[in-house]
Amino acid sequence: MAIFGGKESNVFETINRHLDAVGKTLDAFRSLMEAYISDDLEKAKKIEEEVTKLESEADKLRRSIELMLYEGAFLPASRGDYVRLSELIDQVADAAESAAHTLILAKPHVPEELKEEIMKLVDSAIETYRRLMEAVKALNEDVDKALELAKETEDLEENADRIEYDVKAKVFDSESITTYAKIIWNQALTKVGDIADRAEDASDQVMLMAIKRRG
């Protein structure tokens, strides 16, 4: 059973739309990565445009959430929490867009032996965000469940961190990657890892809000 109603329900509906928009941005980013590591740069470039479009749509929803909050949804003491949460969620899409731009602009070579490893990191980062989505959606229904899912998000982020470190180590150890490409891959992989990091930041906010609500 939902905890809130009225204006608050409209905010939660828009938050859910925002979550889904960010999720679609990540789906497009994954498709871009698949195309890029398959050496289909033309397709990757086209998908980059879709990533940018979806990130923009997510950003518009974030601003809609903020407007509804400023117009009086929730008690004043709670509004800042929801503004902060929407900002943190939006940063996940920002990280994906930034990673996409880095790859398409710099075009670093992808060693065959690292293609699977790179996609493993992408999938791990996206999995972290998916768990965050569940945590945020639980806030309006079950704060204990929201806390549990937020903790799972943190655990998944730690796993993504380990994968990121391993992939970077292999990049720097590779003799088939130029120094230039190593620098670019370090930047790009950091930005992919940022997807999980920003999801974990948002999960911290979910925990804070759930604890406040539980008393």
Side-chain angles (χ1 to χ4, degrees):
M1 182 177 179
I3 298 172
F4 298 104
K7 291 182 178 179
E8 289 76 20
S9 294
N10 290 335
V11 172
F12 272 106
E13 179 183 346
T14 308
I15 287 174
N16 287 341
R17 289 171 57 203
H18 185 220
L19 288 165
D20 291 342
V22 174
K24 289 178 181 178
T25 305
L26 297 186
D27 289 341
F29 173 68
R30 189 186 189 283
S31 296
L32 181 152
M33 290 297 298
E34 283 187 313
Y36 189 85
I37 67 172
S38 298
D39 299 319
D40 193 341
L41 184 58
E42 183 177 347
K43 181 178 180 180
K45 284 182 178 179
K46 289 181 180 178
I47 301 174
E48 180 194 20
E49 296 175 2
E50 182 69 12
V51 170
T52 298
K53 178 182 175 182
L54 289 167
E55 189 280 332
S56 179
E57 290 175 0
D59 200 48
K60 289 177 183 177
L61 287 166
R62 175 190 59 79
R63 289 194 293 271
S64 295
I65 293 166
E66 292 179 354
L67 181 61
M68 283 188 282
L69 290 166
Y70 292 139
E71 288 178 343
F74 293 99
L75 294 174
S78 299
R79 290 171 195 160
D81 285 337
Y82 283 97
V83 169
R84 179 62 176 158
L85 180 61
S86 66
E87 289 174 345
L88 291 169
I89 292 169
D90 208 61
Q91 287 175 15
V92 176
D94 292 344
E97 183 185 33
S98 183
H101 290 338
T102 297
L103 285 175
I104 299 304
L105 287 171
K107 305 177 184 63
H109 171 67
V110 189
E112 186 66 36
E113 67 272 17
L114 290 182
K115 290 182 177 181
E116 185 175 334
E117 299 287 335
I118 291 169
M119 288 308 301
K120 183 178 179 182
L121 173 59
V122 172
D123 287 338
S124 179
I126 293 175
E127 182 184 8
T128 304
Y129 176 73
R130 297 299 180 197
R131 198 60 48 87
L132 170 69
M133 289 181 69
E134 296 176 28
V136 175
K137 290 180 178 181
L139 266 177
N140 192 33
E141 302 288 341
D142 185 339
V143 292
D144 290 329
K145 185 65 174 178
L147 282 168
E148 177 186 336
L149 290 165
K151 179 60 174 65
E152 290 178 10
T153 303
E154 290 189 342
D155 293 340
L156 288 168
E157 186 273 336
E158 290 178 4
N159 183 59
D161 271 353
R162 287 191 290 269
I163 295 172
E164 179 186 345
Y165 181 88
D166 289 344
V167 177
K168 285 182 176 179
K170 290 175 181 177
V171 166
F172 284 110
D173 286 342
S174 175
E175 296 181 356
S176 65
I177 306 178
T178 64
T179 300
Y180 166 79
K182 287 179 180 180
I183 292 171
I184 299 303
W185 274 116
N186 183 58
Q187 293 176 355
L189 294 171
T190 296
K191 293 174 187 297
V192 174
D194 283 346
I195 293 170
D197 292 344
R198 299 294 81 78
E200 193 269 339
D201 289 343
S203 76
D204 287 344
Q205 182 68 13
V206 171
M207 284 187 178
L208 174 64
M209 295 168 70
I211 290 169
K212 283 182 179 180
R213 193 169 299 164
R214 191 170 62 175

